[in-house]
Amino acid sequence: MDLAEFQSSLQRQHSPLPVFNASVSVDQWRALPFQAKQAGGRLVALWGSERDGAAAICAAYASGSGLLAVELPLTDARNYPSLAAEFPAAVRMERAAADLNGIRPLDSDDARPWLNHGAWPVDWHPLRAAADPERRFPDSRLRDYDFVRVEGEGVHEIPVGPVHAGIIEPGHFRFSIVGERVLKLEQRLGYKHKGIEQRFQGMAADEGHRLAGRVSGDSTVAYAWAYCMALEAIREQTEPPRARWLRALMLERERVANHLGDLGALGNDAAFGFGLSQFMRLKEDWLRLNQRVFGHRMLMDRIVPGGVAVDVDVEARLAMREQCGAVAQEVRELRSIYDEHQGLQDRFVTTGRVTPQLAAELGLTGLAGRASSIVCDLRCDYEMAPYGDLGVAMASHRNGDVAARVHVRFEELLESLRLIGEICDRLPDGPIRSEAAAAAGSGIGWIEGWRGEVLVALEVDGDDRITRCHCHDPSWQNWPVLEHAVIGNIVPDFPLINKSFNLSYAGHDL
């Protein structure tokens, strides 16, 4: 039975997107990565779980027919076949599951800790049922990390981070270079690990959206919506049409805010401070209107189970509509300046290139993937309401360099401005929230955030308490690709390449 046949044999979860869940055997688990790859699918997430002391490994695959979430119950050995041969991005996810759940792939080539830098013993795993969440390890100390060494005449290393100049989050980058040319980059992340997945355990299900919305502050709408989608699947709850449109309105406003900020930062990293000042001016005005209309600059806690927490009146819709028109005009003018600025184009074009072939092999996703011909966008692929009524135009490019990622940002920014205007004009009447009885079970939420697809896997017990919640950021797929994108470039171009991806530390490290 191939992937499509297997998926068609399953019952679809209550969801606006085609999501299917299944428990599988070891043989099925081993066959699924190859079948997904053959069908043009991709690995969305991998995580560990545990119920009544019995461990399980879970994975989610996306294909043209939807999302397939599978679970493999594990024996006392707590081992499972690795997915890395077909999906290289699985390696770090498997290492994280080993740190947190104490479950390990049988055939992995990399068993180094990923999230555990020495904060807890290697034989203690915070997400196991027997782990005491109050336990402290006063004698813990940072462990050395076994970086891959590059040797040869003229090769030397540059260690960068984890503490950086400025306000960016911590991450360590180990460059192996000859002269200024990068031969290899190896990342060490996990410094932002905060124990969020453990914090979810025991929390009331109706409160979980608040923590999900704080996984990565620049994607609070995407995470909160994905969490609520998962909880609504468990409760078989449908949010009112007006609430769905308001959720999309906030998601697109979140997308615009991030693209405005990144386009300014990209100009600044190429020594074009004018671009930074202009785009940050636009972003600040954008966030101020968020505060005025929704009561929060970043839109935190605006999406709630069953719908949304705030409505918008006619005056607010007119203000957003007017702002979209004004911002679109300025963005088009700034785009022409970027496109015609010889200094910027010299820094952007061919820098940090990820070919379509490499992007497909490594599983590059989201806006960075679309800049390398990986044309996946949940808003277009499955036309979840209201996006199916809005006719979203997917932005893409094939060059895969900084210039291509800038191009995709400009296109998505302008398209989001159009979508916001459409939503403001066509927002249906009706309530903004529905009610539903508590229920036990598991559900998946899946949303196209500004960076890429965000997934939330939720489990709730009979007391309406969370037993497991895994939040997955697209940065898991894209951080490893950044290591390849920088090869052959010069060291001073790394900040520019890095910013062109703008991956999340907090959403990745949890």
Side-chain angles (χ1 to χ4, degrees):
M1 182 182 296
D2 63 20
L3 181 67
E5 291 174 327
F6 179 58
Q7 197 158 322
S8 66
S9 70
L10 303 173
Q11 182 177 357
R12 174 173 168 169
Q13 89 168 16
H14 179 87
S15 176
L17 288 173
V19 177
F20 304 86
N21 301 276
S23 181
V24 297
S25 67
V26 173
D27 288 342
Q28 289 173 315
W29 175 273
R30 188 177 284 112
L32 276 171
F34 176 77
Q35 293 173 346
K37 198 73 174 283
Q38 289 295 106
R42 60 191 185 275
L43 175 69
V44 177
L46 178 144
W47 66 98
S49 188
E50 186 167 331
R51 298 185 197 89
D52 301 322
I57 184 69
C58 308
Y61 299 94
S63 68
S65 52
L67 186 80
L68 172 63
V70 297
E71 175 183 301
L72 172 66
L74 302 181
T75 64
D76 291 342
R78 304 176 74 87
N79 293 326
Y80 61 93
S82 172
L83 308 184
E86 299 295 341
F87 296 104
V91 171
R92 293 182 181 181
M93 302 178 211
E94 292 172 349
R95 290 166 63 188
D99 289 346
L100 298 175
N101 300 85
I103 55 180
R104 302 181 184 279
L106 291 165
D107 42 3
S108 174
D109 295 329
D110 192 347
R112 294 174 295 173
W114 184 243
L115 294 177
N116 185 3
H117 290 226
W120 63 86
V122 294
D123 60 350
W124 187 82
H125 307 286
L127 292 187
R128 292 200 63 174
D132 179 3
E134 301 298 325
R135 186 175 177 184
R136 298 292 180 265
F137 302 99
D139 298 328
S140 63
R141 60 177 57 189
L142 185 69
R143 298 190 191 98
D144 288 336
Y145 188 73
D146 187 17
F147 285 97
V148 176
R149 304 293 179 183
V150 177
E151 298 180 349
E153 184 176 353
V155 177
H156 64 284
E157 289 184 343
I158 301 178
V160 178
V163 178
H164 301 275
I167 59 171
I168 68 171
E169 296 175 290
H172 183 81
F173 303 93
R174 185 69 59 96
F175 295 88
S176 298
I177 68 171
V178 172
E180 284 197 323
R181 293 285 168 186
V182 178
L183 298 178
K184 179 178 176 60
L185 166 63
E186 187 171 6
Q187 302 154 358
R188 176 64 168 133
L189 305 177
Y191 297 93
K192 290 288 290 184
H193 178 69
K194 305 169 287 296
I196 284 180
E197 291 185 298
Q198 188 184 63
R199 177 66 186 87
F200 270 115
Q201 295 178 344
M203 180 179 288
D206 277 326
E207 293 296 317
H209 69 282
R210 300 185 69 244
L211 182 56
R214 286 158 175 80
V215 162
S216 186
D218 59 11
S219 301
T220 183
V221 174
Y223 274 103
W225 191 348
Y227 176 90
C228 291
M229 184 187 294
L231 182 59
E232 289 154 6
I234 295 171
R235 295 175 173 177
E236 297 190 353
Q237 180 179 12
T238 301
E239 71 274 38
R242 185 178 179 90
R244 181 82 62 82
W245 282 66
L246 286 170
R247 286 179 174 184
L249 173 63
M250 286 185 261
L251 186 68
E252 296 311 312
R253 288 195 67 87
E254 180 169 84
R255 197 182 315 276
V256 168
N258 283 289
H259 286 336
L260 287 172
D262 280 357
L263 287 167
L266 282 160
N268 193 59
D269 280 350
F272 189 54
F274 171 81
L276 177 66
S277 63
Q278 296 304 311
F279 276 108
M280 292 308 291
R281 171 180 59 82
L282 294 175
K283 181 177 180 179
E284 177 60 26
D285 288 343
W286 193 261
L287 297 180
R288 289 183 182 185
L289 188 59
N290 279 352
Q291 174 69 45
R292 189 177 119 201
V293 171
F294 298 101
H296 198 288
R297 287 166 59 89
M298 305 299 291
L299 305 176
M300 282 187 174
D301 303 330
R302 306 302 94 175
I303 294 183
V304 298
V308 295
V310 294
D311 204 347
V312 295
D313 57 22
V314 173
E315 181 183 353
R317 289 157 60 184
L318 289 174
M320 287 187 283
R321 193 75 172 85
E322 182 179 350
Q323 185 184 49
C324 285
V327 170
Q329 182 176 344
E330 291 207 54
V331 166
R332 290 189 179 96
E333 184 176 355
L334 287 166
R335 184 178 193 174
S336 68
I337 293 172
Y338 270 44
D339 288 346
E340 295 169 10
H341 193 288
Q342 186 173 348
L344 279 185
Q345 294 307 308
D346 181 63
R347 295 292 305 278
F348 288 175
V349 176
T350 74
T351 302
R353 186 162 189 241
V354 181
T355 65
Q357 295 76 17
L358 182 62
E361 181 180 348
L362 298 181
L364 189 63
T365 190
L367 74 89
R370 291 189 286 275
S372 294
S373 290
I374 307 299
V375 286
C376 298
D377 186 326
L378 301 184
R379 299 174 301 165
C380 306
D381 297 343
Y382 306 108
E383 295 191 340
M384 178 182 77
Y387 290 111
D389 297 324
L390 296 171
V392 181
M394 188 189 309
S396 66
H397 207 286
R398 65 170 292 102
N399 286 355
D401 54 7
V402 172
R405 292 186 281 277
V406 169
H407 168 85
V408 169
R409 275 188 169 80
F410 271 117
E411 290 291 308
E412 290 193 355
L413 171 53
L414 292 169
E415 178 65 359
S416 289
L417 293 171
R418 183 190 71 82
L419 293 173
I420 292 167
E422 287 278 316
I423 293 170
C424 288
D425 289 345
R426 300 169 56 186
L427 185 66
D429 295 329
I432 62 170
R433 191 171 184 180
S434 65
E435 300 295 334
S442 60
I444 299 284
W446 193 29
I447 289 294
E448 186 71 36
W450 73 270
R451 194 178 270 119
E453 53 193 341
V454 166
L455 180 139
V456 172
L458 178 65
E459 300 176 24
V460 177
D461 66 15
D463 295 323
D464 203 34
R465 296 280 172 178
I466 298 170
T467 56
R468 182 75 172 95
C469 185
H470 174 70
C471 298
H472 181 89
D473 195 272
S475 299
W476 278 100
Q477 274 81 353
N478 292 356
W479 273 118
V481 183
L482 179 61
E483 292 183 338
H484 293 262
V486 74
I487 293 174
N489 292 265
I490 61 174
V491 174
D493 275 339
F494 174 71
L496 182 63
I497 299 168
N498 189 25
K499 177 53 68 175
S500 73
F501 284 82
N502 193 8
L503 305 176
S504 176
Y505 298 82
H508 172 279
D509 295 350
L510 293 186

